[in-house]
Amino acid sequence: MDNITHSVIGLGVGELVHRSLPPEPQAAAQRTRRALFLFAAWFASNAPDLDLVLTRLLPRPFGYMLHHRGHTHTLLLALPQALLLLAMLWLLWPGARRLLRDSVPARVGLAACLLLGFCLHMGMDFLNSYGLHPFYPFSSRWLYGDMIFIVEPMFWVLLGVPVIMSLRYSIVKSVLLAALAAALCFFTYKTYLAPAALLVLLALGVVLAVFQGRAGERARGALLLAFALAATFIGTQGVASAIGRARIEAAVQRLDPGTRVWDVAMTAFPSHPLCWIYVTLDSKTDVYTLRRGTLSLLPASLAPAACPAGLAETGQPGQSGQQLAPGIAIAAQATGSLATLRALQADNCYVDAWLRFARMPRLNADKLTDVRFNPDMLPNFTTVELEKFRARPCPAYVPGWERPRADMLALSE
């Protein structure tokens, strides 16, 4: 997820933990505890993304693909990250050090903030189609939630509004709430958000702002409601994704009986459970086929072409207007040879490294692209021009992630 989402979730966790514990006997200690919890939960909710400094270990684009959402996004390495943060707090914040020495609730709350911060970072990153492998080294398999867009304004509103309303100064609250509303309107103007989604988000923001404003600084109701609504939204998206995936798999098999569907990657439209981008991967004999397009879960009321245009698939020549089934439009399609891809993997160590990330691999004119990430299967941050790497020695620092398409390529891990 984007770091705004990670931040508001962390701040919401810190605020909720603080309000859930008995208050400190002195007002100064109470203020220090709140600041400590907010900072610790915010930092823990963002710390795993510090792995971006490791992307220089490999040439582009391998460094980003293989080291972002890498080792720092694992449960095992969350512990040393948490211990490092504790050491920094202890050494650099004398007030927090005194508080932690004297207060059991402060120690319990800080542990909860760190645990929830790191776990929620990984949990939120799991929700989209990019994936992560949190159980490494015990399991190096990539896990994909396929249910939430990577930038999701719903979380900005649900968690951001109660946090903003908890601030002390009215002018700061007003400016931040206005900025949030302006951002939502801008995304709607740019056609990334549907107008109906904008209205829902603004209405939720007003309800949460009024609720938190009337409840007082110690009340937990608005935050509990915000987290409950966020969990409900995630559950709704998960159900919608599963329904869409089942429809797409059935449509592919009806189109070509006997084909094997290896995977369907689902990408949600922001705050819109009815609209989805999908990529399918299937094969029959040596030929594998990739399809990318738009899905509407209610095609009788909402055609795929009516989904927000900012993320819509425009379609390659010859594909426009094609459908797998009612509500499942095809924007781009490509085929490849399993034998060719297997040979490249065996002969080229850079291709082998690339396949430790690629979920939807396309080979086109000496270029490899994972077609999850750009409309119409266009080149994106995963694109590798093989000619640039043929004469290079094999790369070091390639992590041992399981290849997402080891199944299709008949590879043993």
Side-chain angles (χ1 to χ4, degrees), residues 68-114:
H68 180 47
R69 296 206 190 181
H71 293 92
T72 60
H73 287 69
T74 62
L75 292 171
L76 184 64
L77 287 185
L79 179 59
Q81 292 178 80
L83 292 175
L84 179 61
L85 175 56
L86 280 172
M88 291 171 54
L89 293 171
W90 188 265
L91 293 172
L92 302 177
W93 194 342
R97 183 166 62 243
R98 288 191 297 269
L99 175 67
L100 292 170
R101 274 200 298 252
D102 298 338
S103 171
V104 173
R107 294 195 291 271
V108 171
L110 179 58
C113 287
L114 294 177

Short mmCIF file of all heavy atoms in Angstrom, two decimals, residues 68-114:
data_model
loop_
_atom_site.label_atom_id
_atom_site.label_comp_id
_atom_site.label_asym_id
_atom_site.label_seq_id
_atom_site.Cartn_x
_atom_site.Cartn_y
_atom_site.Cartn_z
N HIS A 68 12.55 -4.77 -2.87
CA HIS A 68 11.42 -4.09 -2.24
C HIS A 68 10.37 -5.14 -1.89
O HIS A 68 10.16 -6.10 -2.63
CB HIS A 68 10.83 -3.04 -3.17
CG HIS A 68 9.67 -2.31 -2.56
ND1 HIS A 68 9.69 -1.81 -1.27
CD2 HIS A 68 8.43 -2.02 -3.04
CE1 HIS A 68 8.55 -1.22 -1.01
NE2 HIS A 68 7.76 -1.35 -2.06
N ARG A 69 9.72 -4.97 -0.75
CA ARG A 69 8.85 -5.99 -0.17
C ARG A 69 9.61 -7.31 0.00
O ARG A 69 9.08 -8.39 -0.25
CB ARG A 69 7.59 -6.21 -1.01
CG ARG A 69 6.69 -4.99 -1.07
CD ARG A 69 5.26 -5.41 -1.32
NE ARG A 69 4.42 -4.26 -1.61
CZ ARG A 69 3.13 -4.34 -1.86
NH1 ARG A 69 2.54 -5.52 -1.86
NH2 ARG A 69 2.41 -3.27 -2.10
N GLY A 70 10.84 -7.17 0.41
CA GLY A 70 11.71 -8.32 0.57
C GLY A 70 11.88 -8.72 2.01
O GLY A 70 10.92 -8.96 2.74
N HIS A 71 13.14 -8.76 2.47
CA HIS A 71 13.44 -9.31 3.79
C HIS A 71 12.81 -8.49 4.92
O HIS A 71 12.43 -9.07 5.94
CB HIS A 71 14.95 -9.39 3.98
CG HIS A 71 15.60 -10.38 3.06
ND1 HIS A 71 16.11 -10.04 1.83
CD2 HIS A 71 15.80 -11.72 3.18
CE1 HIS A 71 16.61 -11.12 1.24
NE2 HIS A 71 16.44 -12.15 2.03
N THR A 72 12.72 -7.18 4.77
CA THR A 72 12.11 -6.39 5.85
C THR A 72 10.61 -6.59 5.95
O THR A 72 10.00 -6.17 6.92
CB THR A 72 12.40 -4.90 5.64
OG1 THR A 72 11.86 -4.47 4.39
CG2 THR A 72 13.90 -4.62 5.67
N HIS A 73 10.02 -7.24 4.95
CA HIS A 73 8.59 -7.54 4.97
C HIS A 73 8.34 -8.99 5.41
O HIS A 73 7.43 -9.64 4.90
CB HIS A 73 7.98 -7.29 3.59
CG HIS A 73 7.84 -5.85 3.23
ND1 HIS A 73 8.93 -5.05 2.99
CD2 HIS A 73 6.75 -5.06 3.07
CE1 HIS A 73 8.51 -3.82 2.68
NE2 HIS A 73 7.20 -3.81 2.73
N THR A 74 9.15 -9.48 6.31
CA THR A 74 8.97 -10.82 6.83
C THR A 74 8.76 -10.77 8.34
O THR A 74 9.30 -9.88 9.02
CB THR A 74 10.19 -11.71 6.52
OG1 THR A 74 11.35 -11.18 7.18
CG2 THR A 74 10.45 -11.78 5.02
N LEU A 75 8.00 -11.71 8.86
CA LEU A 75 7.72 -11.74 10.29
C LEU A 75 9.00 -11.94 11.09
O LEU A 75 9.17 -11.36 12.17
CB LEU A 75 6.71 -12.84 10.60
CG LEU A 75 5.29 -12.61 10.06
CD1 LEU A 75 4.45 -13.86 10.23
CD2 LEU A 75 4.63 -11.42 10.76
N LEU A 76 9.92 -12.76 10.58
CA LEU A 76 11.15 -13.03 11.31
C LEU A 76 11.97 -11.77 11.50
O LEU A 76 12.49 -11.51 12.59
CB LEU A 76 11.96 -14.09 10.56
CG LEU A 76 13.24 -14.55 11.26
CD1 LEU A 76 12.92 -15.25 12.58
CD2 LEU A 76 14.05 -15.47 10.36
N LEU A 77 12.08 -10.94 10.46
CA LEU A 77 12.92 -9.74 10.55
C LEU A 77 12.15 -8.54 11.08
O LEU A 77 12.74 -7.46 11.22
CB LEU A 77 13.53 -9.43 9.19
CG LEU A 77 14.65 -10.38 8.77
CD1 LEU A 77 15.29 -9.93 7.48
CD2 LEU A 77 15.72 -10.50 9.86
N ALA A 78 10.88 -8.70 11.41
CA ALA A 78 10.18 -7.63 12.12
C ALA A 78 10.76 -7.46 13.52
O ALA A 78 10.80 -6.34 14.06
CB ALA A 78 8.68 -7.93 12.20
N LEU A 79 11.22 -8.56 14.12
CA LEU A 79 11.76 -8.49 15.49
C LEU A 79 13.00 -7.61 15.59
O LEU A 79 13.03 -6.69 16.42
CB LEU A 79 12.04 -9.90 16.00
CG LEU A 79 12.63 -9.98 17.42
CD1 LEU A 79 11.69 -9.34 18.43
CD2 LEU A 79 12.92 -11.44 17.79
N PRO A 80 14.04 -7.81 14.77
CA PRO A 80 15.19 -6.90 14.88
C PRO A 80 14.84 -5.46 14.52
O PRO A 80 15.43 -4.53 15.08
CB PRO A 80 16.22 -7.49 13.91
CG PRO A 80 15.48 -8.44 13.05
CD PRO A 80 14.33 -8.93 13.86
N GLN A 81 13.89 -5.25 13.61
CA GLN A 81 13.47 -3.89 13.32
C GLN A 81 12.84 -3.24 14.54
O GLN A 81 13.08 -2.08 14.86
CB GLN A 81 12.47 -3.89 12.15
CG GLN A 81 13.07 -4.28 10.81
CD GLN A 81 12.02 -4.30 9.72
OE1 GLN A 81 11.65 -3.26 9.17
NE2 GLN A 81 11.52 -5.49 9.38
N ALA A 82 11.99 -4.02 15.26
CA ALA A 82 11.35 -3.50 16.46
C ALA A 82 12.39 -3.22 17.55
O ALA A 82 12.32 -2.19 18.24
CB ALA A 82 10.31 -4.50 16.97
N LEU A 83 13.36 -4.11 17.70
CA LEU A 83 14.40 -3.89 18.71
C LEU A 83 15.25 -2.67 18.38
O LEU A 83 15.65 -1.92 19.28
CB LEU A 83 15.28 -5.14 18.81
CG LEU A 83 14.59 -6.39 19.39
CD1 LEU A 83 15.53 -7.59 19.33
CD2 LEU A 83 14.12 -6.14 20.81
N LEU A 84 15.52 -2.45 17.10
CA LEU A 84 16.27 -1.27 16.70
C LEU A 84 15.50 0.00 17.04
O LEU A 84 16.07 0.98 17.55
CB LEU A 84 16.59 -1.33 15.21
CG LEU A 84 17.35 -0.13 14.63
CD1 LEU A 84 18.70 0.02 15.31
CD2 LEU A 84 17.51 -0.29 13.12
N LEU A 85 14.20 0.00 16.77
CA LEU A 85 13.38 1.16 17.10
C LEU A 85 13.36 1.39 18.61
O LEU A 85 13.47 2.54 19.08
CB LEU A 85 11.96 0.98 16.57
CG LEU A 85 10.95 2.06 16.94
CD1 LEU A 85 11.43 3.44 16.51
CD2 LEU A 85 9.59 1.75 16.31
N LEU A 86 13.22 0.32 19.40
CA LEU A 86 13.24 0.46 20.86
C LEU A 86 14.56 1.06 21.34
O LEU A 86 14.58 1.94 22.21
CB LEU A 86 13.03 -0.91 21.51
CG LEU A 86 11.60 -1.43 21.58
CD1 LEU A 86 11.59 -2.86 22.08
CD2 LEU A 86 10.75 -0.55 22.50
N ALA A 87 15.66 0.61 20.76
CA ALA A 87 16.96 1.15 21.16
C ALA A 87 17.07 2.64 20.83
O ALA A 87 17.59 3.43 21.64
CB ALA A 87 18.07 0.36 20.46
N MET A 88 16.57 3.03 19.67
CA MET A 88 16.60 4.45 19.29
C MET A 88 15.77 5.28 20.25
O MET A 88 16.20 6.36 20.70
CB MET A 88 16.08 4.61 17.85
CG MET A 88 16.99 4.04 16.78
SD MET A 88 16.19 4.03 15.16
CE MET A 88 15.68 5.75 15.00
N LEU A 89 14.58 4.79 20.57
CA LEU A 89 13.72 5.53 21.50
C LEU A 89 14.38 5.66 22.87
O LEU A 89 14.34 6.72 23.51
CB LEU A 89 12.36 4.83 21.62
CG LEU A 89 11.48 4.84 20.37
CD1 LEU A 89 10.28 3.92 20.56
CD2 LEU A 89 11.02 6.26 20.04
N TRP A 90 14.96 4.58 23.33
CA TRP A 90 15.57 4.57 24.66
C TRP A 90 16.77 5.52 24.73
O TRP A 90 16.95 6.26 25.71
CB TRP A 90 16.00 3.15 24.99
CG TRP A 90 16.47 2.99 26.41
CD1 TRP A 90 17.76 3.03 26.87
CD2 TRP A 90 15.66 2.74 27.56
NE1 TRP A 90 17.81 2.83 28.23
CE2 TRP A 90 16.53 2.64 28.68
CE3 TRP A 90 14.30 2.58 27.75
CZ2 TRP A 90 16.06 2.41 29.97
CZ3 TRP A 90 13.83 2.33 29.03
CH2 TRP A 90 14.69 2.25 30.12
N LEU A 91 17.56 5.54 23.67
CA LEU A 91 18.78 6.35 23.69
C LEU A 91 18.52 7.83 23.40
O LEU A 91 19.21 8.70 23.95
CB LEU A 91 19.78 5.79 22.67
CG LEU A 91 20.37 4.41 22.99
CD1 LEU A 91 21.18 3.89 21.82
CD2 LEU A 91 21.23 4.46 24.25
N LEU A 92 17.55 8.11 22.54
CA LEU A 92 17.39 9.47 22.03
C LEU A 92 16.23 10.24 22.62
O LEU A 92 16.08 11.43 22.35
CB LEU A 92 17.23 9.41 20.49
CG LEU A 92 18.38 8.74 19.72
CD1 LEU A 92 18.05 8.68 18.24
CD2 LEU A 92 19.69 9.47 19.97
N TRP A 93 15.40 9.61 23.42
CA TRP A 93 14.21 10.28 23.96
C TRP A 93 14.19 10.10 25.48
O TRP A 93 13.59 9.15 26.00
CB TRP A 93 12.96 9.67 23.33
CG TRP A 93 11.71 10.47 23.53
CD1 TRP A 93 11.46 11.45 24.45
CD2 TRP A 93 10.49 10.34 22.78
NE1 TRP A 93 10.21 11.94 24.33
CE2 TRP A 93 9.57 11.28 23.32
CE3 TRP A 93 10.11 9.53 21.73
CZ2 TRP A 93 8.28 11.40 22.81
CZ3 TRP A 93 8.82 9.64 21.23
CH2 TRP A 93 7.91 10.58 21.77
N PRO A 94 14.83 11.00 26.22
CA PRO A 94 14.91 10.84 27.69
C PRO A 94 13.53 10.78 28.35
O PRO A 94 13.35 10.00 29.30
CB PRO A 94 15.69 12.09 28.13
CG PRO A 94 16.46 12.51 26.92
CD PRO A 94 15.60 12.16 25.75
N GLY A 95 12.58 11.58 27.88
CA GLY A 95 11.25 11.55 28.48
C GLY A 95 10.58 10.20 28.32
O GLY A 95 9.93 9.68 29.24
N ALA A 96 10.72 9.61 27.14
CA ALA A 96 10.14 8.29 26.92
C ALA A 96 10.86 7.25 27.76
O ALA A 96 10.24 6.30 28.27
CB ALA A 96 10.25 7.93 25.43
N ARG A 97 12.17 7.40 27.93
CA ARG A 97 12.93 6.45 28.74
C ARG A 97 12.44 6.47 30.19
O ARG A 97 12.23 5.41 30.80
CB ARG A 97 14.42 6.79 28.67
CG ARG A 97 15.30 5.82 29.42
CD ARG A 97 16.77 5.98 29.04
NE ARG A 97 17.29 7.30 29.39
CZ ARG A 97 17.75 8.19 28.50
NH1 ARG A 97 17.72 7.90 27.21
NH2 ARG A 97 18.20 9.36 28.89
N ARG A 98 12.22 7.66 30.75
CA ARG A 98 11.71 7.75 32.12
C ARG A 98 10.31 7.15 32.23
O ARG A 98 9.99 6.44 33.19
CB ARG A 98 11.69 9.22 32.56
CG ARG A 98 13.07 9.80 32.82
CD ARG A 98 12.96 11.15 33.51
NE ARG A 98 12.28 12.13 32.67
CZ ARG A 98 12.91 12.93 31.82
NH1 ARG A 98 14.24 12.84 31.67
NH2 ARG A 98 12.23 13.82 31.11
N LEU A 99 9.49 7.44 31.22
CA LEU A 99 8.13 6.92 31.24
C LEU A 99 8.12 5.39 31.20
O LEU A 99 7.39 4.74 31.96
CB LEU A 99 7.35 7.48 30.04
CG LEU A 99 5.94 6.95 29.84
CD1 LEU A 99 5.02 7.40 30.97
CD2 LEU A 99 5.39 7.39 28.49
N LEU A 100 8.93 4.81 30.36
CA LEU A 100 8.95 3.36 30.23
C LEU A 100 9.52 2.69 31.48
O LEU A 100 9.13 1.57 31.82
CB LEU A 100 9.78 2.96 29.00
CG LEU A 100 9.16 3.34 27.65
CD1 LEU A 100 10.15 3.11 26.52
CD2 LEU A 100 7.88 2.56 27.39
N ARG A 101 10.43 3.37 32.18
CA ARG A 101 10.94 2.81 33.43
C ARG A 101 9.87 2.79 34.51
O ARG A 101 9.80 1.86 35.31
CB ARG A 101 12.14 3.63 33.91
CG ARG A 101 13.47 3.21 33.33
CD ARG A 101 14.63 3.70 34.19
NE ARG A 101 14.66 5.15 34.25
CZ ARG A 101 15.57 5.92 33.64
NH1 ARG A 101 16.53 5.35 32.91
NH2 ARG A 101 15.54 7.22 33.74
N ASP A 102 8.99 3.80 34.51
CA ASP A 102 8.07 3.98 35.62
C ASP A 102 6.68 3.40 35.38
O ASP A 102 5.92 3.18 36.34
CB ASP A 102 7.92 5.47 35.93
CG ASP A 102 9.24 6.11 36.36
OD1 ASP A 102 10.12 5.35 36.82
OD2 ASP A 102 9.38 7.33 36.21
N SER A 103 6.28 3.19 34.11
CA SER A 103 4.87 2.90 33.80
C SER A 103 4.71 1.56 33.11
O SER A 103 5.23 1.36 32.00
CB SER A 103 4.29 4.01 32.92
OG SER A 103 3.02 3.67 32.45
N VAL A 104 3.97 0.66 33.75
CA VAL A 104 3.63 -0.61 33.10
C VAL A 104 2.72 -0.41 31.89
O VAL A 104 2.96 -0.99 30.82
CB VAL A 104 3.00 -1.59 34.12
CG1 VAL A 104 2.48 -2.84 33.42
CG2 VAL A 104 4.02 -1.97 35.19
N PRO A 105 1.65 0.43 31.99
CA PRO A 105 0.81 0.65 30.81
C PRO A 105 1.60 1.19 29.62
O PRO A 105 1.32 0.83 28.46
CB PRO A 105 -0.22 1.67 31.29
CG PRO A 105 -0.32 1.45 32.75
CD PRO A 105 1.08 1.10 33.18
N ALA A 106 2.61 2.02 29.87
CA ALA A 106 3.41 2.55 28.77
C ALA A 106 4.20 1.43 28.10
O ALA A 106 4.29 1.38 26.85
CB ALA A 106 4.35 3.63 29.27
N ARG A 107 4.75 0.52 28.89
CA ARG A 107 5.51 -0.59 28.30
C ARG A 107 4.60 -1.53 27.52
O ARG A 107 4.94 -1.96 26.41
CB ARG A 107 6.26 -1.35 29.41
CG ARG A 107 7.35 -0.53 30.09
CD ARG A 107 8.28 -1.39 30.88
NE ARG A 107 7.64 -1.98 32.08
CZ ARG A 107 7.60 -1.42 33.27
NH1 ARG A 107 8.14 -0.21 33.45
NH2 ARG A 107 7.04 -2.03 34.29
N VAL A 108 3.44 -1.84 28.09
CA VAL A 108 2.49 -2.70 27.40
C VAL A 108 2.00 -2.05 26.11
O VAL A 108 1.93 -2.67 25.04
CB VAL A 108 1.30 -3.04 28.32
CG1 VAL A 108 0.20 -3.75 27.53
CG2 VAL A 108 1.76 -3.89 29.49
N GLY A 109 1.67 -0.77 26.19
CA GLY A 109 1.16 -0.06 25.02
C GLY A 109 2.19 0.06 23.92
O GLY A 109 1.87 -0.09 22.73
N LEU A 110 3.45 0.32 24.29
CA LEU A 110 4.48 0.43 23.27
C LEU A 110 4.68 -0.91 22.56
O LEU A 110 4.82 -0.96 21.33
CB LEU A 110 5.79 0.89 23.91
CG LEU A 110 6.98 1.03 22.96
CD1 LEU A 110 6.68 2.01 21.83
CD2 LEU A 110 8.24 1.45 23.72
N ALA A 111 4.68 -2.00 23.32
CA ALA A 111 4.80 -3.32 22.69
C ALA A 111 3.65 -3.57 21.73
O ALA A 111 3.84 -4.10 20.63
CB ALA A 111 4.85 -4.41 23.77
N ALA A 112 2.43 -3.18 22.13
CA ALA A 112 1.27 -3.36 21.25
C ALA A 112 1.40 -2.53 19.99
O ALA A 112 1.07 -2.99 18.88
CB ALA A 112 -0.01 -3.01 22.01
N CYS A 113 1.87 -1.30 20.12
CA CYS A 113 2.03 -0.43 18.94
C CYS A 113 3.04 -1.01 17.95
O CYS A 113 2.81 -0.99 16.74
CB CYS A 113 2.47 0.96 19.38
SG CYS A 113 1.18 1.93 20.19
N LEU A 114 4.14 -1.53 18.47
CA LEU A 114 5.15 -2.11 17.58
C LEU A 114 4.62 -3.37 16.90
O LEU A 114 4.79 -3.54 15.69
CB LEU A 114 6.41 -2.42 18.37
CG LEU A 114 7.17 -1.20 18.93
CD1 LEU A 114 8.36 -1.65 19.76
CD2 LEU A 114 7.62 -0.29 17.82
#
